[in-house]
Amino acid sequence: MMTLQEVIKALDVFSLDELIQLRTYIDQRTDTMSLAHDLTPEERAHRLDTAFEQLREGLTPAELNEITEAMNVEYIEPFDEELWKD
């Protein structure tokens, strides 16, 4: 993952067209993000429910049960950074 300073430095090699494309992408992303922050908790919950419905589309009940079981059964120990430090 790049740091913000690395990203800024990488922009120096972009053409004008690439910078315009990047500006358009950033503007669209910013509009979407600020819109989400302005939503009521009820609307956020509704959008989350809609996203879950879309995720479930096309899955059989057996597949949904398998996914649910995997989420409820499998446990992964959290990563401890202290183990890898000198």
Side-chain angles (χ1 to χ4, degrees), residues 27-43:
D27 289 343
Q28 289 171 347
R29 181 128 194 248
T30 304
D31 291 344
T32 303
M33 291 174 70
S34 62
L35 175 64
H37 291 290
D38 296 335
L39 297 176
T40 65
E42 293 79 12
E43 181 60 26

Side-chain angles (χ1 to χ4, degrees), residues 18-31:
E18 290 170 323
L19 289 171
I20 291 170
Q21 290 177 36
L22 179 61
R23 166 64 66 196
T24 302
Y25 172 78
I26 290 172
D27 289 343
Q28 289 171 347
R29 181 128 194 248
T30 304
D31 291 344

Side-chain angles (χ1 to χ4, degrees), residues 28-80:
Q28 289 171 347
R29 181 128 194 248
T30 304
D31 291 344
T32 303
M33 291 174 70
S34 62
L35 175 64
H37 291 290
D38 296 335
L39 297 176
T40 65
E42 293 79 12
E43 181 60 26
R44 287 186 206 163
H46 174 71
R47 288 188 179 196
L48 190 56
D49 287 340
T50 301
F52 285 139
E53 287 173 14
Q54 291 173 353
L55 253 168
R56 289 188 294 265
E57 281 180 14
L59 295 174
T60 66
E63 291 170 324
L64 286 171
N65 288 338
E66 182 181 345
I67 292 168
T68 302
E69 184 179 338
M71 290 189 302
N72 290 329
V73 174
E74 187 175 349
Y75 174 78
I76 299 173
E77 190 68 36
F79 178 71
D80 184 2

